[in-house]
Amino acid sequence: PFMSVIGMPWFGMDIGGTLCKLVYFEPKDISKNKNDAEVEQTLRNIRRYLTKNSAYGSTGHRDIHLQMDNVSIRGILGTLHFIRFPTSEMKNFLVLAKYKGMAKLVSTVCATGGGAYKFEEDFKREVNMKLAKFDEFESLLKGLQYIDARSPTECYYWANPTDESKCTKVNYDFSKPYPFLLVNIGSGVSVLAVYSEKNYKRISGTSIGGGTFLGLCCLLTGCNSFEEAIELAAEGDHTHVDKLVRDIYGGDYEKFGLPGDLVASSFSALCSFGQMNSRERRSKVSRQDLARATLVTITNNIGSIARMCATQEKIENVVFIGNFLRVNPIAMKMLAYAMDYWSKGTMKALFLEHEGYFGAVGCLLQFHE
Ligand code: ADP
């Protein structure tokens, strides 16, 4: 049975509410095993298709910058490839997998996330694949430990997050991680308190997450993708949309240490505002401003929940992951600043390069255990 495991393509899948994350382990030595010639050829074709391309159809992408070479999984050396596509494309993915001959391999794919349940029947019917289902938080933590131990620059923080000219990514040694708070910002948000490798609990969450940002942003600006939403936000000014402490106090609210540029009420500048009436105000606001304000609102809310959880659990290190942080330095810097400022420097926001892929890696690692 071991030989046949080596011969099979090793996949880990995390089928989330928005994105499906697919991790493929490519062994360095293609084993000459007892597979028949047809299976051998199919395996080679799948391997070539996955590793020679970086785009699959119009919606699948391989994140080449995250690729990890020369890593070993249970004694076998190989390369980890990181691929994602919208979960809404699952039907097309299965058609493609069938076309590539997956159904002939009669194998098991490790899967986690809600889609491992939702699409179980489709996998069986379309590509004759059984899903070995793993718990998503267990997978998340296993994947995180595995990757951090093998990727020296995995963990980082943002130094000087409010000063654009001095703000930099700084490597962080996460080899002694416990305890830490794990804030996974996907479509929704989950907060885990992690005390040791095996001891963790889900302590909080919110439905106001990355999916909320994208949905509201599309509605308000007419944008059509996450990338576009982030590009718009980068050019916008949220103070045209939000009501700040200084709009209400004329400056800082010193007695309670609230700075004038703090958002007092998100999106409130569009309802009433000083000299200008609200209709005038709304007509002056740009799509960029609206995108930025949406990003600021969602991010600050998550930061605030994270900070309350960390305080309650007496934990200093808060690790933010999930694809909401993909190509999103604005949100990361805001979280970094918020954690530092409101904890008076006692808490630290940490980030990880493989932000959205830990669940998929973790369930791949549990294969045939
Ligand atoms: P889930 O498992 O719930 O799908 P993810 O960790 O994959 O969660 O994060 C999904 C979120 O990531 C989206 O709600 C969106 O905010 C953000 N995101 C980043 N890149 C993309 C993308 N290419 N398409 C859609 N959403 C994206």
Side-chain angles (χ1 to χ4, degrees):
F2 193 54
M3 285 306 277
S4 66
V5 170
I6 296 172
M8 289 304 157
W10 289 20
F11 290 112
M13 263 191 146
D14 176 1
I15 313 174
T18 307
L19 293 175
C20 177
K21 283 72 68 178
L22 177 66
V23 171
Y24 167 53
F25 180 71
E26 176 197 9
K28 208 160 190 174
D29 302 312
I30 314 183
S31 53
K32 294 271 180 295
N33 57 36
K34 298 181 204 89
N35 288 329
D36 61 38
E38 193 191 354
V39 168
E40 202 64 51
Q41 189 56 45
T42 305
L43 281 168
R44 221 171 294 136
N45 287 347
I46 289 169
R47 171 186 161 120
R48 191 180 313 115
Y49 176 71
L50 290 177
T51 59
K52 293 287 173 284
N53 296 292
S54 61
Y56 313 97
S58 55
T59 56
H61 295 275
R62 181 156 60 92
D63 285 310
I64 298 175
H65 67 288
L66 297 179
Q67 179 173 328
M68 291 170 77
D69 297 309
N70 295 313
V71 291
S72 85
I73 296 182
R74 268 184 299 289
I76 299 172
L77 208 59
T79 299
L80 280 174
H81 299 280
F82 299 88
I83 296 163
R84 61 185 153 83
F85 61 87
T87 302
S88 58
E89 296 287 318
M90 187 56 80
K91 292 264 148 62
N92 291 331
F93 169 80
L94 289 170
V95 168
L96 180 71
K98 189 175 186 176
Y99 172 73
K100 294 284 169 192
M102 286 293 242
K104 277 180 275 178
L105 301 176
V106 200
S107 60
T108 300
V109 162
C110 308
T112 189
Y117 297 84
K118 184 175 170 186
F119 297 107
E120 191 171 18
E121 279 304 306
D122 302 277
F123 271 83
K124 186 80 203 134
R125 192 182 55 245
E126 297 300 321
V127 281
N128 196 25
M129 267 187 189
K130 257 188 74 179
L131 295 186
K133 298 192 286 304
F134 298 97
D135 176 71
E136 69 176 289
F137 296 132
E138 187 114 3
S139 299
L140 207 56
L141 291 171
K142 280 209 163 81
L144 198 157
Q145 283 150 10
Y146 178 89
I147 301 251
D148 185 64
R150 286 158 184 80
S151 163
T153 55
E154 184 65 23
C155 186
Y156 62 94
Y157 65 93
W158 290 92
N160 311 305
T162 45
D163 186 343
E164 195 51 51
S165 64
K166 280 197 275 175
C167 185
T168 45
K169 263 168 94 162
V170 182
N171 201 29
Y172 184 84
D173 178 3
F174 199 52
S175 55
K176 291 193 181 69
Y178 308 110
F180 67 94
L181 200 75
L182 187 65
V183 182
N184 185 15
I185 317 178
S187 314
V189 181
S190 278
V191 182
L192 309 185
V194 188
Y195 306 101
S196 70
E197 201 177 314
K198 298 239 155 61
N199 182 17
Y200 63 90
K201 58 183 185 191
R202 184 182 187 278
I203 55 172
S204 189
T206 168
S207 65
I208 302 178
T212 319
F213 162 69
L214 191 49
L216 289 179
C217 208
C218 290
L219 207 55
L220 290 170
T221 70
C223 74
N224 282 306
S225 71
F226 180 77
E227 288 76 8
E228 198 188 338
I230 294 297
E231 276 165 31
L232 284 172
E235 289 159 13
D237 182 347
H238 74 96
T239 66
H240 297 164
V241 177
D242 293 337
K243 199 171 274 190
L244 309 182
V245 166
R246 68 160 179 262
D247 298 322
I248 301 168
Y249 276 80
D252 300 343
Y253 183 5
E254 276 164 24
K255 189 175 170 198
F256 290 104
L258 302 179
D261 61 0
L262 180 71
V263 177
S265 181
S266 302
F267 283 84
S268 287
L270 303 181
C271 323
S272 68
F273 199 93
Q275 329 69 348
M276 246 187 273
N277 74 37
S278 53
R279 192 176 306 144
E280 223 178 333
R281 189 82 197 170
R282 280 195 290 269
S283 70
K284 288 223 162 63
V285 136
S286 69
R287 294 167 72 224
Q288 286 79 355
D289 295 341
L290 288 166
R292 182 62 161 248
T294 310
L295 187 59
V296 168
T297 301
I298 304 298
T299 306
N300 275 339
N301 191 56
I302 295 167
S304 168
I305 291 168
R307 198 171 44 82
M308 284 191 286
C309 291
T311 304
Q312 182 196 307
E313 296 297 314
K314 301 187 174 57
I315 291 177
E316 289 170 4
N317 283 346
V318 182
V319 180
F320 293 93
I321 59 168
N323 277 319
F324 172 66
L325 300 174
R326 233 196 97 239
V327 295
N328 195 356
I330 301 172
M332 288 192 274
K333 290 172 190 178
M334 285 184 63
L335 290 168
Y337 175 74
M339 299 309 288
D340 182 73
Y341 183 87
W342 296 109
S343 73
K344 300 197 166 61
T346 64
M347 288 176 197
K348 194 170 199 66
L350 298 171
F351 303 92
L352 298 167
E353 295 289 354
H354 290 81
E355 60 226 343
Y357 284 109
F358 300 113
V361 172
C363 74
L364 168 64
L365 295 173
Q366 294 171 82
F367 192 29
H368 283 227
E369 257 183 5

